[in-house]
């Protein structure tokens, strides 16, 4: 086997599973530890509802609300674990390391998939004066 072949083999070796905590210690140290009420208020905020209404065309708003309620329940039960809810070809989830909501959905009449992050994070929600 030539040197090139050996290098090619190394490129596609499965990487060992990296503990998320070790991956970015700075981000982990700065991670928010919100209360259940803070999580609930953030995910039920008008800003989140508005973001979801603009996204995921073709999905009824009641399904979006149900997905958010499921995410709230699951994240409150286990705040150290990301959560996602899938319906059809669309998914809504929350990244608990960054406390950011995200969506993934197929564009109507197109072959592409959109995966935007919600700009209204938990940190922004907590920093916003009431």
């Amino acid at each position: 086997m030539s040197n090139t072949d050996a290098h090619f083999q190394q490129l596609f070796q499965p990487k060992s599973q990296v503990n998320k905590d070790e991956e970015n210690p700075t981000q982990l140290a700065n991670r928010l530890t919100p209360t259940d009420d803070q999580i609930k208020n953030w995910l039920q905020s008008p800003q989140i509802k508005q973001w979801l209404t603009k996204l995921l065309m073709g999905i009824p708003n009641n399904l979006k609300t149900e997905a958010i309620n499921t995410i709230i329940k699951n994240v409150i039960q286990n705040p150290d674990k990301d959560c996602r809810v899938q319906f059809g070809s669309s998914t809504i989830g929350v990244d608990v390391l960054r406390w950011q909501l995200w969506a993934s959905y197929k564009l109507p009449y197109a072959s592409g998939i959109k995966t935007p992050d919600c700009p209204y994070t938990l940190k922004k929600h907590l920093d916003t004066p009431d």
Side-chain angles (χ1 to χ4, degrees):
M1 183 152 67
S2 73
N3 228 5
T4 306
D5 290 340
H7 180 67
F8 183 78
Q9 291 285 338
Q10 289 173 355
L11 286 176
F12 294 99
Q13 292 293 325
K15 292 184 177 179
S16 60
Q17 191 67 18
V18 177
N19 186 344
K20 229 180 186 179
D21 297 350
E22 295 169 3
E23 201 170 301
N24 193 344
T26 306
Q27 195 171 17
L28 188 65
N30 294 332
R31 180 176 176 237
L32 294 172
T33 50
T35 65
D36 294 353
D37 284 340
Q38 288 172 326
I39 294 168
K40 194 174 191 175
N41 290 337
W42 168 55
L43 290 172
Q44 292 178 337
S45 70
Q47 292 87 337
I48 296 289
K49 286 179 183 171
Q50 181 181 17
W51 184 76
L52 284 171
T53 300
K54 287 194 286 187
L55 296 177
L56 305 166
M57 294 178 287
I59 305 296
N61 285 337
N62 65 333
L63 277 180
K64 295 174 192 176
T65 302
E66 192 176 319
I68 289 296
N69 290 338
T70 301
I71 288 171
I72 290 169
K73 183 181 95 168
N74 291 339
V75 168
I76 285 174
Q77 284 177 356
N78 192 349
D80 294 325
K81 187 175 179 190
D82 290 349
C83 177
R84 70 181 65 180
V85 175
Q86 184 172 356
F87 40 94
S89 62
S90 300
T91 306
I92 299 173
V94 68
D95 173 351
V96 296
L97 187 60
R98 298 179 302 139
W99 286 106
Q100 187 160 26
L101 192 66
W102 57 270
S104 173
Y105 58 97
K106 190 173 190 289
L107 295 168
Y109 311 110
S111 59
I113 294 178
K114 296 274 280 182
T115 56
D117 286 339
C118 180
Y120 192 69
T121 62
L122 177 62
K123 182 170 178 12
K124 282 186 182 173
H125 179 73
L126 296 176
D127 291 345
T128 304
D130 290 330

